[in-house]
Amino acid sequence: MGPAAPTATAPPPTRPTARRRALPWAVLVLWIAAVALAVPFAGKLGDAQRDNIVDYLPASADSTQVAKVEQALPGGESTELVVVYHRDGGLTAADRAHAQQQVEGINGAHEFDGGAPRGIPSKDGTTLMYPMSTTAPGTDNDARIALVDDVRERLGADPVEGLGAELGGPGALATDMEKVFETIDGTLMVATVLVVAVLLVLTYRSPFLWLVPLTVVGFAAVASRAVVYGLIQGFDLTVTSQSAAIMTVLVFGAGTDYALLLVARYREELRRVEQPYDAMLAALRGCGPAVVASSGTVAAGLLCLLAADLNSASGLGPVGAVGVVCSLAAMLTLLPAVLVLLGRRVFWPLVPAYGSEPKRGRSLFAAMGSSAGRRPGAVLVSGALLLGALALGVFNLPGNLAQEDTFTERPESVSAMKVLAEAYPDRGSQPISIVAPTDKADQALARARGTEGVAAAETGRSGGGWTEITVFAKDAPESAGETATIEALRAGLDGSHVGGPSAQQLDLADTNARDQKIVIPLVLGAVLLILMVLLRSLVAPLILTAAVVAVWGAVMGLGGLLFEPVFGFSGLDPSTPLLSFVFLVALGVDYGIFLMHRMREESLAGAEPETAALTALRTTGGVIASAGIVLAATFTVLMNLPLVPLFEMGFLVAVGVLLDTFLVRTYLVTSASLLLGRRVWWPGPLSRRPAGKPGPATRAAREPQPAGDTR
């Protein structure tokens, strides 16, 4: 009797099996080699980051031109400091003598412009300030930090009881900011890794599986830092510490999301397919388009920031896009290779056996789908009203964040500026800088002194056809009165530029308002285009886009209700609304893509519209929830950094992702899909004809897996 015919489950021939084993090993070796080459360059990114004020300012703003001219003047960029002595009951003669002695020692150790600093007493006799200016550090941040540290050390030596001695001014504020930035990279990386590791352990309930996506994300993080460093060297890309921090969060958040989706689909296919290699191919065919499209929306949305005039925002666009693309590449190549090489045992102790049935039971998302299915109209209206009610909080948003309120914990520079604001209510403690053509400097000085709101003005350095004029306003820094003075100076000085810290904050706010009008439509257009190509529909993309815009409005409203009344923040960073919109729209659409793409799969397989919608929710609900929690958790890491703008950004994106995951995706999109039926796919072919009846094999392939099952 001849040999038995091979069965459908027989292993493939030897040669194809050898090739299949070789491919994952080749991918792994290539990635290891690439990362080994990337590590030295990735380590240099921290030193290549630029946090000078011109790296954050609008490219075309008046204050930016002032900063550039000042850097080109003799001595380069000036460092403005203010030594502040204060006693609540009034300064004594001994206090003044002590202050004079200390300031003489500081002046003898450093080179200040204009000779020895002169003390300016407050009218109430409680405070004495010594404005100081030096060009010695120039644009060298390390030199400026060394100067500020030395002055503070001298002020702290031989203290007098009851006499406060602090260092303020723009130079001290910039130094305190720089020291915060120096700690961001390490703190953020460690905290993000720990958060993702804990969540992966809880999600997979496996002692080994969580290490695989976390390691792959680590590879992607190294690769992205190296690529960004290469862009800096090759194209002089401006990368700030804020951009690098957000890229780290994006790499870990988005990369882990893609891993969760792929692993969930791979586990599902392992029950149907005997060989891990074949199961991975099926998983990639099933969820690959959704992962590619979701990463494409994020990258496209971020690249729209290139149209922004704000330097820090336009630089963030390519930096964030590189992080997302590196995450995508790692998750679609390295992660599948490692999972295939490890085989089914990587899921231990909940190994998905070939031919086994997933654990049955009523899942949370099945219950949610059923509740949405019973009264979809009521669910949709209720959810929309809730989001609308939350959005009303935008009317309570605080004003623009002042520079001195940037920190969550008050540093010495801010404390000194607070003292000055109270002790000198009729004189600004922060200079306004004017650069005027040298041949018109005398005329500009006269006009500046005659401008309403100006307390004092004097000429400074000259060079390159420009002369610097330093102006002090009568009002406190960044107050309405000082803002009016800056605007009056700009209106009355033709051919001159007005800058300085307060003018920079004013330009930041104006430019962000302009950038929103340009970038937001670009982001919406890019996202809609990608969704239409993926879903072959116009209605479904409009639903998803409207949903994420509604989420953004709701979380901005929550910010208005919480930022000042609860968190005590006195302002909103001007760039936060635009950046939070880009992140929430691009990242939020991800989950809509996962849901709608699976719904389309079910429809193509023959399911009726209601069945397709509810099956998609049951099968993707668990992984979308896990992905949303991971992404939200990574952005909450930003809330632990001591900068208000990063806290605000982390809060808005994290809460927005959770709202999108558990309300919009689960209830509103599902309800809208149920109400529209096949019309959700208009004008695609699925909207015009009933889908064919699925055969037995197709039904088996589409058997839903309850969310949350990890066996």
Side-chain angles (χ1 to χ4, degrees), residues 670-691:
T670 301
S671 298
S673 301
L674 291 173
L675 288 171
L676 290 171
R678 289 193 179 88
R679 287 170 293 181
V680 77
W681 305 115
W682 186 88
L686 282 176
S687 67
R688 296 192 298 269
R689 58 175 177 79

Side-chain angles (χ1 to χ4, degrees), residues 598-610:
R598 188 59 182 259
M599 192 186 305
R600 189 170 187 277
E601 273 192 87
E602 299 295 332
S603 298
L604 287 171
E608 292 297 321
E610 181 177 352

Side-chain angles (χ1 to χ4, degrees), residues 34-36 38-43 189 217-227 251 326:
V35 170
V39 165
F41 301 103
M189 183 68 74
V217 170
F219 273 49
V222 172
S224 63
R225 291 178 68 86
V227 172
V251 170
C326 287

Side-chain angles (χ1 to χ4, degrees), residues 361-538:
R362 187 166 178 79
S363 70
L364 171 64
F365 289 93
M368 289 180 172
S370 297
S371 63
R374 284 193 294 269
R375 301 186 64 185
V379 169
L380 183 60
V381 171
S382 300
L385 289 175
L386 174 61
L387 294 177
L390 291 175
L392 293 176
V394 297
F395 296 107
N396 196 48
L397 280 169
N400 290 326
L401 187 70
Q403 195 172 22
E404 63 187 35
D405 296 323
T406 300
F407 304 89
T408 56
E409 297 180 3
R410 180 184 295 182
E412 181 182 322
S413 58
V414 172
S415 177
M417 302 304 284
K418 293 286 188 183
V419 171
L420 291 174
E422 295 175 1
Y424 299 85
D426 57 346
R427 177 189 174 98
S429 57
Q430 192 162 266
I432 300 170
S433 299
I434 299 174
V435 290
T438 301
D439 58 351
K440 298 180 180 179
D442 293 338
Q443 181 183 2
L445 178 63
R447 287 188 178 181
R449 286 174 173 170
T451 300
E452 184 177 357
V454 171
E458 59 184 20
T459 56
R461 300 168 291 166
S462 294
W466 295 95
T467 295
E468 182 182 45
I469 300 173
T470 301
V471 174
F472 284 91
K474 294 179 180 179
D475 298 283
E478 299 185 51
S479 63
E482 191 199 39
T483 298
T485 301
I486 292 172
E487 292 174 343
L489 286 169
R490 285 178 168 173
L493 296 173
D494 294 333
S496 301
H497 301 291
V498 180
S502 296
Q504 291 163 2
Q505 293 298 106
L506 182 63
D507 289 339
L508 286 173
D510 291 342
T511 304
N512 273 291
R514 171 262 178 199
D515 285 347
Q516 288 180 30
K517 297 176 182 178
I518 294 176
V519 175
I520 286 178
L522 285 176
V523 173
L524 291 175
V527 169
L528 273 172
L529 182 61
I530 293 174
L531 289 175
M532 286 188 289
V533 171
L534 175 71
L535 300 176
R536 317 287 173 82
S537 166
L538 179 60

Side-chain angles (χ1 to χ4, degrees), residues 65-158:
Q65 308 311 311
V66 172
K68 290 179 178 179
V69 170
E70 286 180 334
Q71 290 178 356
L73 289 174
E77 185 178 289
S78 62
T79 298
E80 307 286 343
L81 303 173
V82 182
V83 175
V84 182
Y85 294 95
H86 176 80
R87 184 185 290 274
D88 288 337
L91 295 171
T92 65
D95 292 337
R96 294 187 181 91
H98 175 77
Q100 186 63 33
Q101 181 181 3
Q102 279 195 331
V103 170
E104 288 177 356
I106 293 170
N107 184 58
H110 300 283
E111 185 180 335
F112 290 101
D113 303 333
R118 293 176 296 174
I120 302 174
S122 63
K123 290 182 178 180
D124 61 6
T126 62
T127 308
L128 183 63
M129 73 170 175
Y130 288 85
M132 302 176 178
S133 178
T134 177
T135 58
T139 57
D140 187 339
N141 289 336
D142 292 336
R144 173 171 46 77
I145 292 172
L147 167 66
V148 170
D149 287 345
D150 182 74
V151 173
R152 283 176 171 167
E153 184 177 348
R154 292 174 183 273
L155 291 176
D158 191 23

